[in-house]
Amino acid sequence: CCCCCCCPRFRGASPIARHTKKKPPRATRAPQYTTIMAAPEADAGFQRDPCPWRILDDFGGAFAMGAIGGTVWHSVRGYRSSPRNLRFSGALSAVKMRAPVLAGSFAVWGGMFSTFDCCLIALRGKEDPWNSIASGAITGGTLAARSGLRGSAQAAFFGGVVLAFIEGLGILIHKYTTKQHKPIMPELPADPLSAPSYQR
């Protein structure tokens, strides 16, 4: 090609070099950092069983809690109230007589609470702490219905206050633990393109 021979850029170069285009240098890109976000399950808190199975779960859990607590409580009480040489047998008798009663009371309370909780979820269409508070009040009032209107109202108020305290404490604990495990975004370095080593 006469143009290649006349051009001073291609004069004296090999034929391969003449037809080889010189690629421009690639621009150096700044490193990209991706913020690692927590999984949705980590912030969702403790997820309970669906409603039909929740009643059985709470019923069994309350029965186990009452049985264990009743065994410890009535064993100590029976041991202290028995004669000196019959303390172990007195503690065993007290546990056999009173621990199942306390376990049954706990089971009835837990089962009724979960039943009312599921009913409120179905009626309101959402699950929030107000359902638990209202369920506690309704359960307390229902179990104390034989003591009259005044006794039922007092039991309902007490049940609502206890559940409100439990729910509030759970919310505070959940917020504290979520804040402790909140992901921290790493500090981004300065733009490498503006550094002296990248300036031409």
Side-chain angles (χ1 to χ4, degrees):
C1 177
C2 60
C3 297
C4 295
C5 297
C6 297
C7 182
R9 291 176 54 190
F10 292 94
R11 192 177 301 165
S14 62
I16 299 176
R18 292 175 184 176
H19 296 283
T20 304
K21 293 183 178 180
K22 200 172 184 180
K23 296 182 179 180
R26 294 183 178 180
T28 307
R29 298 179 62 185
Q32 297 180 356
Y33 294 88
T34 304
T35 307
I36 301 175
M37 301 300 294
E41 291 82 3
D43 295 335
F46 177 74
Q47 298 293 333
R48 301 180 65 186
D49 293 334
C51 243
W53 307 108
R54 183 183 303 182
I55 299 173
L56 297 177
D57 186 22
D58 289 351
F59 186 85
F63 182 85
M65 187 185 303
I68 295 173
T71 300
V72 174
W73 173 260
H74 290 293
S75 62
V76 174
R77 191 173 181 181
Y79 181 85
R80 296 183 62 181
S81 61
S82 299
R84 192 176 289 269
N85 56 345
L86 297 175
R87 286 186 173 178
F88 288 101
S89 60
L92 184 60
S93 299
V95 168
K96 290 191 295 184
M97 290 175 58
R98 302 302 304 172
V101 177
L102 185 62
S105 300
F106 269 70
V108 170
W109 207 97
M112 292 186 66
F113 171 80
S114 297
T115 302
F116 289 127
D117 192 16
C118 290
C119 292
L120 290 176
I121 291 173
L123 290 174
R124 300 182 65 221
K126 60 181 179 179
E127 185 173 2
D128 55 5
W130 291 109
N131 290 335
S132 299
I133 296 172
S135 300
I138 297 172
T139 302
T142 304
L143 292 176
R146 293 188 299 176
S147 60
L149 184 60
R150 184 175 181 180
S152 179
Q154 291 178 354
F157 177 77
F158 179 75
V161 168
V162 170
L163 264 298
F165 176 76
I166 294 174
E167 290 293 329
L169 185 63
I171 292 173
L172 290 177
I173 293 175
H174 178 66
K175 285 185 177 181
Y176 178 76
T177 54
T178 304
K179 189 181 297 184
Q180 290 292 325
H181 297 285
K182 186 177 182 180
I184 301 175
M185 184 177 180
E187 296 183 0
L188 298 177
D191 189 4
L193 297 177
S194 62
S197 59
Y198 290 92
Q199 293 180 354
R200 295 182 181 273

